[in-house]
Amino acid sequence: MAPPDNNDLLMHQQMGQLLEGMNGLKESIRRIEDGARRSEDMANASRAVVHKRMDELVNRVSGVEQSMAVVKEDVSEMKPVTEDVRQLEADAAKMKAAVADMKPVTDDVKRWKLMGVGGLTVMGIAGVSLGVSFADVLKRIAAVILGKI
């Protein structure tokens, strides 16, 4: 066999370098693909977390909306009650005024009881004063009729 010439050796060397370069490119592509997969996996995980948080927010907002609806319903049910309370307050103010007008009378009755004057005595005094007034009226009528005035 003939000894290999320089061209063969150079060609074999270049083919080896080419194969080494191809292997290096394959490795680089594999690393890039792995990095892209990891990046995609992390992005998917991140999106999953965002979606989970979004679902939680939706649930919380719907809970707040339901609570607001219940509060609105309670408030609408309270309106007639508050109107009743206002009416009761107005009635209480009227009663307070009426009681304030009665206070002097009840104070007089208490004073009479302390003095020992009972209901019969008060009625007797009232009867006597009416009787005297009635008698005075009759006396004047008689005087007018008899012409003494």
Side-chain angles (χ1 to χ4, degrees), residues 40-101:
E40 191 175 323
D41 290 345
M42 289 188 317
N44 287 338
S46 177
R47 276 193 295 277
V49 169
V50 168
H51 285 289
K52 181 180 176 186
R53 287 182 182 167
M54 191 70 96
D55 290 341
E56 289 172 358
L57 283 173
V58 167
N59 289 338
R60 289 175 64 189
V61 168
S62 66
V64 168
E65 287 175 344
Q66 289 173 352
S67 297
M68 286 301 295
V70 169
V71 167
K72 284 182 181 179
E73 185 178 323
D74 288 348
V75 167
S76 65
E77 290 174 0
M78 287 181 192
K79 284 184 181 181
V81 173
T82 55
E83 292 300 322
D84 291 344
V85 168
R86 286 188 186 125
Q87 184 62 41
L88 288 173
E89 287 174 346
D91 292 345
K94 290 176 187 175
M95 288 180 160
K96 190 174 184 180
V99 168
D101 291 343

